[in-house]
Every structure is written in structure tokens, then in C-alpha cells.
Amino acid sequence: MHEVAAPPVALPPERHPVDHGGPPEHARDPWGWCLALPLVFAALASIRLTVPSAPYFDEVHYLPAARALLEGGPYLNREHPLLGKELIALGIAVFGDGPLGWRIMPLVAGTLVVAASMRATWHASMDRYATITLGVLLASGFHLFVQSRIAMLDIFMAAFLALAAWAFAAAIREPETGRWRLALCGVAIGCALGAKWNAISLAMLPGLAFFAARLSAGRRRLLMSRRGIPVPGVSLIEAFAWLGLVPLAVYALTFLPGYWMGTPLRPSPFAGELFPFGLVEFHREILDLQRSVMAPHNYQSTWAQWVTNTRGIWYLYEFADGAQRGVLLIGNPLTMLLGLFALVWCALTGFWRREWAKVAAVIGYAASLGLWVIAPKPVQFYYHYMMPSVFLLAALALALSDLRQVERLRWLGWAVPLGSALFLALFWKVLSGAPLDGPMSFADWTWISGWR
């Protein structure tokens, strides 16, 4: 008797099978979208970038610190590392000490978040739809838009973390270039930590993921073997160097200007504020400042309010540049809530089907939010939810990709991204600092009391 060949198994469109060695023939890299959507985001976010023309919200802390870097002044804003303020100082040095110079580098960083997050999603999932959808959701998600238009530190941390995710996912997908991609991942992690300490919970994940994957491969020579997942050709010892030692070295290098600061007349590395005790002693001061009890703030909030999108922050609400203006930080009312259901879906299906892009979105969300659940920082704000929101939107994009395989729910695949964009348009005036009708205009957008 002749054997009857089994019929081929049909794969869902644009979804890469877990155990397959490479992308299916019909998986087409959406690199054009990965260029176009960040550019559209940058164009939108640049509208009224220089409004208000005076520093607002936390710019009053970071701009003096950036100016001190340029002038050799004292180390200001000592509770945070230097890199974010160095990048703000770079914008001032190139474009002048005005609103464009203050905010141009945050705009560049926000654009990088969109592009790098899309590339990371593509390499992790090989899902064209999810990659493009994530770009739309991020660009219209409020968090990224507002933070890309103000001289604060979180946007730089987010940009470097997104670059690290892109490099790590690409190293796994294309192991022939894995070594240098892991090195880039380590550099990006070090820069993220140098921008803001909040990156710590996510900074550990690539190394832990590499260790867990190699351990699951069952290699007898665990530390030295170069075989097996996640990056064949790279041993666990080498991965530790790229993902552990390189980030620490890069992080330390971001503090180099600190050895000169405070000595405008005698620029010497042996007279600056970090000499003679260096980073170790200085980090004790940073830690003490982070733990110090701040005065209660009108806009402080808790992680539970972030998750439910029930507490916002008015970064600006005053008469400025000839008109009543406001800048409100809340989450997109549509995607912040739908994303919670998507996280549950990704947790259930990701672990069950071994779809690691979904698992990464869930773990990234839990790690970045979990930091604030246990952090000994008494006063917290909604902008700390920006990194968890990136993972939440990634989970939503992946979940929507699954729903597109169900005929009756296929319409959600375009309705949710469109709805997210419509909410951006609806809240446009209080996201972009546009002129408002009058002092009571805030009531048009404060649908719940926590947004007032």
C-alpha cells in the first residue's frame, strides 16, 4: 500500500509558526510602514512644538540641569542620572536655548520609540498586521505624543529601551548577526539606565530571557556551549558580557561630564563634583533622594489609577502665548481599556501556544508596572505608566491580529486603530497646546473627575 501524504496545514495569514526555522514565504517585511508611520508621528508631534514658549511642568527642573552641563555649572537635579539631561543639552547647543532647542531631542526620541517598537514587534512575531497596527496605536496613544513634546527624561529612557528590544528580537530572529545585535542591545540598555533609573526592571529582562532559553535547551555545557536557542553561536558567558557588563560600562560612561561639573574656570576631571568618591558614593545620594518623602502633589496618583486611566495630569492650563491653552496627559480612552483585555488574551494564548511575542508583551507590562507597585517612592505620577502602556498596546496589536482570523470579528482589525486615531483627533487641542475657547474649556475633555 502506498502511503497517503497528509494535507498541508493552512497557517493563519501573516503569522509565523512557533517552531518554524524562518518566516513563511508570504511574510513580507513592512519596513516601509516602519519608516512612514514614525515620520507621520513626528510631523504631528512637531505642530506647536515651541508652544508654550516658556518652560512648563517638569521642564523647570531639567532645563536648568541641562544648562549647567553646557556651562560647567553644578550638578543639578541630582536625583536622576545624566544622560537625559545631556541629550536636552545637546538640543540646546544645536538649536539654541529656546523652546525648539529644549524639545527637539524629546521629539526625536519619541519618533524612535515608534520605529523601534514596530521593528521589535516584527522580529518577535513576523506579524505584518500587528507591526503596522502597533505603530498606529502608539502614535495615537496620548502618552507618547505628550511626552515627545516636553523636555523630560522618560522619553529618552523609552527610546533606548525600544532600541534594546529591537536589537534583542533581531538577534534571535537573525542569529548570523546575533553577536553585534546583542552588543547593541547592551549599549541601549546602558543608555536607558543612564537616562532614568526606572529602566531597571526592563533592563534585566534580555539577560534573564537568554539564560532561561539556554537553560531550557538542556545543554550539558551550560556556560560555554554555543548551541541552541535563543542565539546559536553565542555562549551564555558571552551573552553575560553583552547584556550584563556592557550596560554597566555604558551607564558609567554617561556620568563622565559629572567629573568636570562645578569647575567652570578650571575644567579638570580631578576637581568636579564626582571626584574623589566617584559613582559609588554618588549613587547613595541618588538613592536617598529617590526615597525622600516629597510634599503631596495635586496630581499624584497610584498604579491602580494608571491601569484604569482614571487620573490624569494637566501639564499646562493657563493663558500662554496669546491664548488659553492646556496640555493634558491621560491615556487614550479606547485603547487603554481594550488593552487590558488584550493582555489577558496574550497571557492565556501566548504561554499555551508558545507565541513568544505575546509572552514578551505580558512580561514587559508586568515588569514595568510591577516596579511601581513595590517602589519605595512615596509620590508617583501617571507619566510613569508610559512604558507599561507601550507593552499594553503591543499586546492589543497582537490580540487584534488574532481576532482578524475570526470572520465575524475581522472588522475590529481596522475599527480599533481607526477609533484610536479618532480619539487623538477628539483630544487634539488639549494634547497639542492649541488655543482654547476660554478658562472653562477644560470641561469639554474632563469626562471624569480624575481628569480635572
Side-chain angles (χ1 to χ4, degrees):
M1 297 180 62
H2 297 287
E3 292 185 0
V4 179
V9 178
L11 297 175
E14 301 170 348
R15 180 56 60 90
H16 182 262
V18 175
D19 294 325
H20 199 285
E25 293 181 0
H26 57 270
R28 186 160 52 93
D29 190 335
W31 63 268
W33 287 98
C34 295
L35 289 175
L37 286 174
L39 289 176
V40 170
F41 170 80
L44 290 173
S46 65
I47 297 173
R48 284 185 291 276
L49 182 66
T50 59
V51 176
S53 57
Y56 72 110
F57 197 59
D58 277 359
E59 287 185 336
V60 299
H61 303 299
Y62 302 126
L63 292 178
R67 294 186 186 109
L69 276 164
L70 294 172
E71 298 164 0
Y75 191 142
L76 303 178
N77 186 239
R78 299 173 73 89
E79 62 267 34
H80 294 299
L82 272 175
L83 183 56
K85 289 165 282 189
E86 291 166 357
L87 291 172
I88 296 172
L90 175 61
I92 293 174
V94 175
F95 293 95
D97 193 356
L100 179 61
W102 306 339
R103 298 167 193 152
I104 188 65
M105 294 306 292
L107 176 63
V108 172
T111 304
L112 278 175
V113 173
V114 179
S117 298
M118 293 178 69
R119 296 310 296 167
T121 300
W122 168 248
H123 284 290
S125 68
M126 302 300 283
D127 188 324
R128 180 180 172 86
Y129 167 83
T131 300
I132 297 171
T133 298
L134 176 60
V136 176
L137 296 179
L138 282 174
S140 57
F142 293 18
H143 280 274
L144 205 59
F145 187 88
V146 172
Q147 294 301 135
S148 298
R149 296 165 45 82
I150 186 171
M152 291 172 61
L153 307 182
D154 298 74
I155 195 65
F156 301 116
M157 175 193 71
F160 288 118
L161 287 173
L163 289 170
W166 176 8
F168 188 68
I172 295 172
R173 182 63 62 185
E174 302 172 359
E176 64 275 8
T177 60
R179 179 169 285 108
W180 68 265
R181 291 182 186 274
L182 289 178
L184 288 177
C185 180
V187 170
I189 290 172
C191 290
L193 290 169
K196 205 167 185 182
W197 273 13
N198 302 4
I200 183 64
S201 61
L202 294 173
M204 299 184 295
L205 292 184
L208 292 174
F210 195 104
F211 175 75
R214 187 57 57 86
L215 188 64
S216 70
R219 310 313 308 178
R220 286 185 298 176
R221 297 167 59 243
L222 177 63
L223 298 181
M224 301 302 296
S225 175
R226 299 189 179 198
R227 297 182 178 181
I229 58 174
V231 184
V234 178
S235 70
L236 192 59
I237 291 291
E238 183 182 354
F240 173 72
W242 296 131
L243 302 176
L245 299 181
V246 168
L248 291 177
V250 171
Y251 173 72
L253 287 173
T254 65
F255 282 89
L256 279 180
Y259 289 91
W260 278 266
M261 295 189 72
T263 59
L265 299 180
R266 294 186 301 109
S268 166
F270 304 106
E273 294 204 19
L274 295 189
F275 183 85
F277 299 108
L279 287 180
V280 175
E281 186 64 30
F282 184 69
H283 276 64
R284 293 176 183 170
E285 180 181 353
I286 294 178
L287 191 59
D288 289 341
L289 288 170
Q290 290 287 342
R291 289 173 173 172
S292 62
V293 179
M294 295 172 56
H297 195 283
N298 290 337
Y299 284 124
Q300 70 183 68
S301 53
T302 65
W303 66 268
Q305 291 173 312
W306 308 345
V307 171
T308 54
N309 197 21
T310 54
R311 185 65 174 141
I313 306 176
W314 282 96
Y315 280 8
L316 175 78
Y317 198 82
E318 61 186 56
F319 192 86
D321 297 293
Q324 181 72 36
R325 302 178 189 273
V327 176
L328 172 64
L329 177 68
I330 57 172
N332 188 303
L334 176 66
T335 56
M336 287 299 98
L337 295 181
L338 289 181
L340 299 177
F341 296 100
L343 282 167
V344 175
W345 173 257
C346 286
L348 294 175
T349 61
F351 286 99
W352 179 259
R353 300 175 184 170
R354 296 189 177 183
E355 295 181 359
W356 302 120
K358 291 179 178 178
V359 172
V362 173
I363 292 177
Y365 179 84
S368 53
L369 179 63
L371 171 71
W372 296 106
V373 177
I374 63 172
K377 192 174 179 69
V379 178
Q380 300 175 6
F381 299 95
Y382 187 52
Y383 55 77
H384 293 142
Y385 193 61
M386 182 174 65
M387 278 312 304
S389 76
V390 172
F391 290 102
L392 180 141
L393 293 178
L396 179 56
L398 292 165
L400 288 172
S401 185
D402 283 348
L403 290 180
R404 289 177 71 245
Q405 315 310 318
V406 181
E407 187 65 31
R408 289 180 298 177
L409 299 177
R410 190 176 181 86
W411 61 275
L412 289 171
W414 59 264
V416 173
L418 177 61
S420 181
L422 290 176
F423 269 102
L424 178 71
L426 181 62
F427 281 80
W428 175 257
K429 284 189 174 183
V430 290
L431 296 174
S432 65
L436 303 178
D437 294 335
M440 297 303 294
S441 295
F442 69 89
D444 296 336
W445 292 277
T446 50
W447 299 351
I448 60 175
S449 60
W451 294 356
R452 291 180 178 270

